[in-house]
Amino acid sequence: LMVAGRGIVHSERTPPQTRASGHRLHALQLWIALPEQDEETEPSFHHYESSRLPTVTENGVSLRVMIGEAYGLKSPVRTFSPTLYVEAALEPGAKLTLPDSVSERGLYIVSGKARTRERSLEPRQMIVFDRTREIVIEATETTRLALIGGEPLGKRKIWWNFVSSRPERIEQAKRDWREGRYEKIPGENEFIPLPE
């Protein structure tokens, strides 16, 4: 978990030997907004071994709670507000009821197909639900998905990699980036200019 807080620089690079041999990477990158009172918190990285993330398998459904609490499991990953992130794998015909512990819930189908009472769910599709009613997902084939959600935190502005509830803070971040005020990444010399 990377907490950007008041500003952090990181690098997502593949080593040359890995690029040369060819590889595939499948990943989801989630951005979680911080509550306004925490937007200027100290930037940090937090590593959690996969063995610390709680899992359960029952009735053709395998769950891993990445962040938050759901299905009687609680993740050790730090949160700043009520947050939900669950990875699920469903066998054909298996059913999963979405937790209603948070106001806003989303479902991303990574692979496979599923359905609710109202609609079919296809791969690489994000569906957003509120918690006004029970939502049951039924896999129509082997399906992998991510459940995400949380409480509303207010509007956010985004420009390039800068996110804030205050437009003037984004302008300050732009100036700080141009003027090299962000901490450097050890071993990295390349400077990525702001987009025009």
Side-chain angles (χ1 to χ4, degrees):
L1 177 71
M2 180 176 71
V3 179
R6 67 174 171 264
I8 195 167
V9 177
H10 72 288
S11 177
E12 298 172 13
R13 310 260 175 152
T14 304
Q17 61 274 21
T18 304
R19 282 195 311 267
S21 65
H23 71 288
R24 293 187 127 199
L25 174 67
H26 297 275
L28 293 178
Q29 183 179 64
L30 305 179
W31 289 31
I32 304 170
L34 292 169
E36 286 185 38
Q37 69 269 16
D38 296 311
E39 285 184 313
E40 295 295 321
T41 195
E42 182 72 25
S44 59
F45 285 96
H46 304 273
H47 180 75
Y48 298 88
E49 295 291 336
S50 62
S51 62
R52 292 183 59 202
L53 300 175
T55 61
V56 66
T57 299
E58 189 175 287
N59 300 323
V61 178
S62 295
L63 301 170
R64 178 165 44 179
V65 178
M66 309 289 276
I67 299 175
E69 296 182 55
Y71 307 106
L73 304 173
K74 182 176 181 177
S75 170
V77 175
R78 180 181 185 193
T79 60
F80 288 81
S81 65
T83 305
L84 176 68
Y85 178 20
V86 177
E87 179 183 82
L90 286 73
E91 294 176 5
K95 294 182 181 180
L96 178 66
T97 301
L98 298 190
D100 62 1
S101 57
V102 292
S103 298
E104 298 176 338
R105 303 172 292 172
L107 171 71
Y108 181 78
I109 305 294
V110 176
S111 61
K113 294 184 181 180
R115 66 177 172 229
T116 65
R117 278 182 295 183
E118 295 82 19
R119 64 188 300 175
S120 294
L121 309 173
E122 301 290 328
R124 296 174 304 283
Q125 183 181 43
M126 170 70 89
I127 303 94
V128 178
F129 305 98
D130 61 27
R131 69 172 172 199
T132 58
R133 62 189 173 80
E134 182 180 80
I135 303 294
V136 178
I137 306 300
E138 180 179 2
T140 55
E141 59 184 61
T142 301
T143 301
R144 191 165 181 200
L145 53 87
L147 304 173
I148 61 172
E151 294 302 317
L153 296 176
K155 292 185 178 182
R156 295 296 183 273
K157 308 288 184 196
I158 184 169
W159 187 88
W160 191 43
N161 293 321
F162 303 133
V163 180
S164 179
S165 61
R166 299 174 296 137
E168 66 275 11
R169 183 61 181 97
I170 291 177
E171 292 305 314
Q172 178 64 50
K174 289 179 185 180
R175 285 191 298 276
D176 290 347
W177 185 264
R178 274 190 214 98
E179 295 169 15
R181 291 191 198 126
Y182 283 89
E183 194 172 316
K184 303 291 185 242
I185 299 170
E188 296 280 342
N189 295 316
E190 182 181 10
F191 176 74
I192 308 293
L194 290 176
E196 293 298 321

